[in-house]
Amino acid sequence: MRRLRLALGLILLLLPALACDVPSIQLGREPTPVPTAQPLGDTLVLTVPLYRIGLEPGDSVPGAQLTYVGSDAGAYQVRIDGLPAVRRSGDSFSWYGVVAPGVIGNYNLRLSTTLLGKLVATGSVTLSIFNPEPEALATEPTADDVAFANVAVQYYAPAGSDIPGTTLRYEGLVEPGGPEGVSQPMARLSGVRGYPYFAFGDSITWTGRLRDNVIVRYTFRVAALDANGLRVAGSADLWITE
């Protein structure tokens, strides 16, 4: 009996310490992950998921050391990085290197059959743009040496941060009923011309210069927004001067 009383006393003494060491548990709820930003940093990576080009003999893939020389008995004579090669339909036609000053390209292409006399190459292209310094432009870009369309983009900007690759800043969430006169929760952006409020699903366009030789035009839509951050998704067109 004495041993039982001693054991009970020891348990009572240890209970406060155990309560400090054991983390609290909330049944039926999972912790909400905090989304992280995609910082611009020193490199902006843009990917064209479906790139397609038709080449005639003597043509090169824009921005890449990939040249179609001509066909020969069902095979294709090409030059890759300046070296001759023989390729057939379905073979790789890939290259990695400098597209222009400050821009690295990774062309992961494959050859298809000729179409209307042209050799078709399809695949993905990833472009790494070093040391971008976004600057908004008021005018539309003109054609340059290398152009890419339908670049897939998706960015997250925490409140008080820029949307990567632009001068647009997410200043925060505006709730209805306030002095702003909005009828639904909306994102307030700085760096835009005119009305600065955007609701879920609204489109956002921005045209600017990333480097002296790189111009981009973004077409976003608001994919998610709350007090913590803004997520946009859409596409971009890119113009590069070699």
Side-chain angles (χ1 to χ4, degrees), residues 90-174:
D91 286 351
S92 64
F93 196 45
S94 58
W95 179 81
Y96 176 90
V98 177
V99 175
V103 182
I104 297 293
N106 185 356
Y107 291 72
N108 186 15
L109 308 179
R110 286 194 176 273
L111 296 178
S112 181
T113 56
T114 54
L115 179 63
L116 300 178
K118 292 185 177 182
L119 177 62
V120 177
T122 60
S124 64
V125 177
T126 300
L127 301 164
S128 300
I129 302 168
F130 294 94
N131 301 313
E133 296 181 356
E135 175 189 359
L137 295 176
T139 58
E140 288 294 303
T142 57
D144 286 283
D145 297 332
V146 184
F148 296 93
N150 299 319
V151 181
V153 288
Q154 181 178 184
Y155 296 127
Y156 177 81
S161 300
D162 292 344
I163 298 175
T166 77
T167 56
L168 302 175
R169 171 161 294 194
Y170 178 48
E171 299 293 352
L173 184 68
V174 176

Side-chain angles (χ1 to χ4, degrees), residues 34-70:
V34 178
T36 57
Q38 295 174 323
L40 191 60
D42 296 328
T43 308
L44 181 67
V45 179
L46 298 172
T47 298
V48 185
L50 183 57
Y51 180 81
R52 184 179 185 275
I53 187 169
L55 302 171
E56 293 183 349
D59 287 347
S60 296
V61 177
Q65 298 296 316
L66 297 169
T67 302
Y68 173 40
V69 177

Side-chain angles (χ1 to χ4, degrees), residues 19-39:
C20 294
D21 293 337
V22 177
S24 62
I25 300 175
Q26 296 180 340
L27 297 178
R29 297 183 60 185
E30 295 182 359
T32 302
V34 178
T36 57
Q38 295 174 323

Side-chain angles (χ1 to χ4, degrees), residues 184-187 195 197-205 219-223 225 230-233:
Q184 59 182 307
M186 302 185 81
Y195 192 69
Y197 305 113
F198 298 85
F200 173 79
D202 282 354
S203 62
I204 305 171
T205 58
T219 303
F220 298 121
R221 285 199 179 273
V222 176
L225 72 160
L230 169 72
R231 186 174 298 281
V232 295

Side-chain angles (χ1 to χ4, degrees), residues 137 139-147 207 209 213-217 238-241:
L137 295 176
T139 58
E140 288 294 303
T142 57
D144 286 283
D145 297 332
V146 184
T207 300
R209 194 185 308 276
N213 60 331
V214 181
I215 294 176
V216 65
R217 179 175 60 211
L238 197 66
W239 292 267
I240 302 173
T241 301

